[in-house]
């Protein structure tokens, strides 16, 4: 079965430090992968998506993610954290041959001043 | 254009009552999804519609939960005989994907916060 595992339910970094949020997937077909962000008391919005065009994907707000097939990973990174990056981040994968999607459990990012 | 809308934004109900949650997807979006998000937890998939057909109902937690969709338009999630564990934010999303594989983004509504007393 297709699924997503996000390692670490909580990640805390200092402002200006590297952000690394981990996501591993399993899929029986070539996956399409997504990262969504949920700011406090708001809905989810798309950060970036991998659709097989390029393995390094750049998204909004300086985030990027690299698809590594050999590691079945799609980790999210940002070189320098801002206080405004504090939010919940969800990795997701489309499953099967339809538009169904499964989300990871989420990682809450805290940014310390 | 308008995004995904959900109503009501908040619903407080008594244990044992039935509730209906509504989702209006983005016009023209054929795929519609319902998720549940309990406090401090991730998204729990409930059901997925392609048009008015539901090819995947695997996430519905019990037979008290049901959902329907009219064509490629509004969807209603119904919870019968609500229990306190049903308290959560219920999120709806839609996407423009058609049958067959797609990497189309899901657009989320603001959610309905359900509280069962």
């Amino acid at each position: 079965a297709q699924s997503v595992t996000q390692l670490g339910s909580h990640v805390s970094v200092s402002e200006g430090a590297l952000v690394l949020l981990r996501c591993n997937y399993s899929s029986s077909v070539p996956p399409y992968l997504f990262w969504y962000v949920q700011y406090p008391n708001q809905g989810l919005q798309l950060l970036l998506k991998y659709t097989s065009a390029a393995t390094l994907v750049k998204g909004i707000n300086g985030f990027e993610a690299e698809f590594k097939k050999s590691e079945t990973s799609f980790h999210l990174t940002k070189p320098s954290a801002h206080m405004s990056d504090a939010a919940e981040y969800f990795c997701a994968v489309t499953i099967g041959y339809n538009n169904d999607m499964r989300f990871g459990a989420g990682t809450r990012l805290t940014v310390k001043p | 254009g308008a995004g995904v809308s959900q109503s009501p934004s908040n619903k407080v109900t008594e244990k044992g009552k039935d509730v209906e949650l509504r989702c209006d997807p983005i016009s023209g979006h054929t795929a519609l999804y319902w998720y549940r998000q309990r406090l401090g937890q991730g998204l729990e998939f409930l059901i997925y519609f392609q048009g008015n057909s539901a090819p995947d109902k695997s996430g519905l937690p019990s037979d008290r939960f049901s959902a329907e969709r009219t064509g490629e338009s509004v969807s209603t999630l119904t919870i019968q005989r609500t229990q306190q564990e049903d308290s959560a934010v219920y999120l709806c999303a839609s996407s423009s994907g058609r049958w067959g594989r797609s990497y189309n983004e899901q657009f989320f509504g603001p959610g309905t916060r359900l509280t069962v007393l």
Side-chain angles (χ1 to χ4, degrees), chain A residues 10-54:
Chain A
H10 290 85
V11 170
S12 181
V13 300
S14 298
E15 191 173 18
L18 171 71
V19 175
L20 171 61
L21 305 182
R22 300 178 186 272
C23 173
N24 288 88
Y25 69 91
S26 65
S27 177
S28 58
V29 299
Y32 294 145
L33 294 155
F34 305 76
W35 275 99
Y36 282 81
V37 60
Q38 185 178 32
Y39 296 104
N41 301 313
Q42 295 187 28
L44 277 78
Q45 64 182 86
L46 183 69
L47 266 182
L48 50 80
K49 63 183 178 183
Y50 165 75
T51 61
S52 74

Side-chain angles (χ1 to χ4, degrees), chain B residues 2-3 6 10 12-13 19 27-28 32 41 48-49 55 65 72 76 92 95-96 99-101 103 111:
Chain B
Q6 292 184 245
N10 280 284
V12 180
T13 190
V19 296
S27 178
L32 187 147
Q41 298 186 23
Y48 152 63
F49 287 94
F65 287 72
E72 295 184 351
T76 303
C92 174
S95 88
S96 61
W99 284 113
R101 281 211 79 210
Y103 50 78

Side-chain angles (χ1 to χ4, degrees), chain B residues 81-95:
Chain B
R81 305 181 302 282
T82 52
Q83 303 294 314
Q84 288 184 332
E85 66 258 27
D86 299 334
S87 296
V89 174
Y90 290 82
L91 292 166
C92 174
S94 71
S95 88

Side-chain angles (χ1 to χ4, degrees), chain A residues 37 39 45 47 59-64 78 80 82 84-85 89:
Chain A
V37 60
Y39 296 104
Q45 64 182 86
L47 266 182
I60 61 172
N61 301 336
F63 283 92
E64 62 182 37
K78 182 174 180 178
S80 176
H82 294 162
S84 60
D85 294 328
Y89 291 81

Side-chain angles (χ1 to χ4, degrees), chain B residues 38-50:
Chain B
R38 289 193 166 114
L39 185 63
Q41 298 186 23
L43 273 71
E44 177 185 2
F45 169 79
L46 297 178
I47 189 170
Y48 152 63
F49 287 94
Q50 184 72 29

Side-chain angles (χ1 to χ4, degrees), chain B residues 8-103:
Chain B
S9 55
N10 280 284
K11 177 71 176 179
V12 180
T13 190
E14 293 180 348
K15 177 181 174 181
K17 301 278 190 178
D18 298 351
V19 296
E20 280 192 357
L21 311 181
R22 177 187 169 106
C23 172
D24 283 274
I26 292 172
S27 178
H29 278 191
T30 59
L32 187 147
Y33 311 78
W34 283 99
Y35 298 91
R36 179 168 69 179
Q37 186 176 29
R38 289 193 166 114
L39 185 63
Q41 298 186 23
L43 273 71
E44 177 185 2
F45 169 79
L46 297 178
I47 189 170
Y48 152 63
F49 287 94
Q50 184 72 29
N52 61 5
S53 171
D56 191 347
K57 304 180 183 178
S58 63
L60 293 177
S62 76
D63 59 8
R64 295 187 296 106
F65 287 72
S66 63
E68 61 180 24
R69 187 180 184 196
T70 306
E72 295 184 351
S73 183
V74 63
S75 175
T76 303
L77 177 69
T78 302
I79 309 174
Q80 296 178 308
R81 305 181 302 282
T82 52
Q83 303 294 314
Q84 288 184 332
E85 66 258 27
D86 299 334
S87 296
V89 174
Y90 290 82
L91 292 166
C92 174
S94 71
S95 88
S96 61
R98 300 276 173 182
W99 284 113
R101 281 211 79 210
S102 167
Y103 50 78

